[in-house]
């Protein structure tokens, strides 16, 4: 059914979450077995409060994530999505992920709602560096300011241009596919509903149930995204 919907659709939009990158070896946040937020409280460690009140712990947490990210790479599922974009099967990817894997795999129309952990920037002067600064435990800018990953921290607003573009894409979608997200975090979890309200078919491919399953036209649980995409790609 989904492969037919993909073929029949004129404007397919994909929303990805951390479940898209677990098969690359990166932990997600809320998977019951080893999600990051089952061990740490995000508001205490991935927030502006942590950056301002507990910067040593903040540095350590994000250095650990940068080291993990720099060892990992996009998997076959990312490559299939990039191929589908080139074939016109999908028009854009809205991602909550900060790993840059969609672009690295060749996808072009990628909207990064939560920024990127491939880069860090100075809190004071805004100068950007590659994330290897954190790998090398260099946390201070040439100007003396503090360097932080260019991700959206808890307590921060999302980039306005990404929000606008994601809303535009969601309104244009006639098929909206979620891959690997618990859909617990807003405003990312609003985009499937915008698409649905505009008449799109709404599909969720996610190992575990999500908060929006009851609104979906098709839910695929207990299946790995990489396998489902390979099957659809036949
Ligand atoms: N195949 C299918 N589903 C998977 C796979 C996989 N290989 N691996 C994990 N999943 C599912 C999990 O069951 C989980 O429900 O992906 C979902 C990931 O959900 P979260 O861990 O909540 O990640 P996400 O939805 O992206 O979180 C949103 O929260 O912490 C913030 O900014 C962070 O972008 C993140 C946001």
């Amino acid at each position: 059914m989904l492969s037919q919907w993909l073929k029949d659709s004129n404007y397919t939009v994909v929303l990805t979450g951390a479940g898209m990158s677990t098969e690359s070896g990166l932990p997600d946040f809320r998977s019951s077995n080893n999600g990051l937020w089952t061990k740490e409280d995000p508001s205490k460690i991935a927030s502006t409060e942590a950056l301002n009140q507990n910067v040593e712990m903040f540095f350590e947490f994000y250095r650990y994530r940068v080291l993990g990210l720099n060892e990992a790479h996009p998997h076959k599922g990312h490559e299939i999505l990039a191929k589908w974009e080139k074939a016109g099967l999908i028009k854009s990817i809205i991602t909550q992920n900060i790993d840059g894997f969609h672009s690295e795999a060749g996808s072009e129309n990628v909207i990064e709602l939560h920024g990127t952990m491939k880069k860090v920037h100075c809190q004071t002067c805004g100068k950007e560096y590659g994330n290897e600064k954190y790998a090398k435990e260099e946390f201070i800018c040439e100007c003396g300011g503090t360097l932080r990953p260019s991700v959206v921290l808890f307590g921060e607003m999302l980039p306005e241009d990404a929000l606008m573009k994601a809303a535009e894409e969601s309104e244009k979608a006639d098929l909206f596919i979620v891959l690997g997200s618990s859909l617990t975090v807003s405003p990312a979890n609003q985009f499937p509903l915008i698409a649905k309200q505009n008449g799109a078919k709404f599909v969720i491919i996610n190992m575990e149930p999500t908060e929006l399953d009851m609104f979906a036209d098709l839910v695929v649980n207990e299946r790995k995204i990489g396998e489902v995409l390979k099957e659809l790609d036949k």
Side-chain angles (χ1 to χ4, degrees), residues 46-65:
S47 61
T48 43
E49 186 193 332
L51 176 56
N52 298 322
Q53 322 266 321
N54 205 336
V55 76
E56 290 310 321
M57 183 195 65
F58 179 90
F59 285 155
E60 189 187 336
F61 176 65
Y62 275 98
R63 177 169 183 271
Y64 158 77
R65 289 186 67 194

Side-chain angles (χ1 to χ4, degrees), residues 18 22-23 28-30 37 96 114 181-182 206-207 225:
T22 53
E23 291 168 67
D28 67 13
F29 300 100
R30 297 174 185 84
W37 302 152
Q96 301 171 86
H114 295 162
S181 176
S182 62
N206 200 65
M207 192 63 76
I225 287 165

Side-chain angles (χ1 to χ4, degrees), residues 16-24 26-37 42 46 65 75 95-98 113-114 151-154 178-186 188 205-210 220-228:
T16 60
M20 183 75 216
S21 296
T22 53
E23 291 168 67
S24 291
L26 295 183
D28 67 13
F29 300 100
R30 297 174 185 84
S31 263
S32 20
N33 50 0
N34 73 339
L36 276 178
W37 302 152
R65 289 186 67 194
H75 60 75
T95 188
Q96 301 171 86
N97 299 339
I98 44 75
L113 290 178
H114 295 162
V151 300
V152 176
L153 296 173
F154 281 88
V178 172
L179 300 174
S181 176
S182 62
L183 295 171
T184 43
V185 170
S186 71
I205 301 173
N206 200 65
M207 192 63 76
E208 297 164 347
T210 79
V220 177
N221 289 146
E222 306 299 323
R223 296 286 318 280
K224 283 191 161 191
I225 287 165
E227 282 161 26
V228 174

Side-chain angles (χ1 to χ4, degrees), residues 20-201:
M20 183 75 216
S21 296
T22 53
E23 291 168 67
S24 291
L26 295 183
D28 67 13
F29 300 100
R30 297 174 185 84
S31 263
S32 20
N33 50 0
N34 73 339
L36 276 178
W37 302 152
T38 60
K39 304 182 185 90
E40 307 277 0
D41 173 355
S43 63
K44 296 270 178 302
I45 197 157
S47 61
T48 43
E49 186 193 332
L51 176 56
N52 298 322
Q53 322 266 321
N54 205 336
V55 76
E56 290 310 321
M57 183 195 65
F58 179 90
F59 285 155
E60 189 187 336
F61 176 65
Y62 275 98
R63 177 169 183 271
Y64 158 77
R65 289 186 67 194
V66 161
L67 291 172
L69 172 60
N70 292 355
E71 295 294 309
H73 301 284
H75 60 75
K76 185 76 181 136
H78 293 98
E79 291 164 18
I80 288 170
L81 293 178
K83 191 175 82 168
W84 287 0
E85 181 188 43
K86 286 183 182 46
L89 269 176
I90 62 173
K91 298 293 181 193
S92 56
I93 298 175
I94 303 167
T95 188
Q96 301 171 86
N97 299 339
I98 44 75
D99 52 39
F101 284 174
H102 288 303
S103 308
E104 204 175 311
S107 290
E108 299 196 352
N109 196 357
V110 181
I111 302 163
E112 292 184 319
L113 290 178
H114 295 162
T116 177
M117 203 160 61
K118 302 293 270 188
K119 288 187 293 200
V120 299
H121 66 268
C122 175
Q123 282 265 80
T124 306
C125 72
K127 183 173 164 58
E128 282 187 359
Y129 300 84
N131 69 12
E132 65 283 347
K133 292 291 269 188
Y134 263 51
K136 294 185 295 192
E137 298 187 271
E138 293 168 12
F139 301 114
I140 305 302
C141 176
E142 288 153 7
C143 80
T146 303
L147 297 180
R148 51 151 297 167
S150 301
V151 300
V152 176
L153 296 173
F154 281 88
E156 287 184 319
M157 299 293 287
L158 274 65
E160 196 52 45
D161 53 334
L163 280 174
M164 300 284 286
K165 187 117 178 33
E168 268 165 43
E169 289 300 296
S170 303
E171 279 156 15
K172 286 156 73 173
D174 59 11
L175 176 59
F176 195 98
I177 303 173
V178 172
L179 300 174
S181 176
S182 62
L183 295 171
T184 43
V185 170
S186 71
N189 62 4
Q190 300 303 303
F191 296 116
L193 300 178
I194 291 172
K196 181 88 187 150
Q197 276 152 16
N198 281 276
K201 284 195 183 62

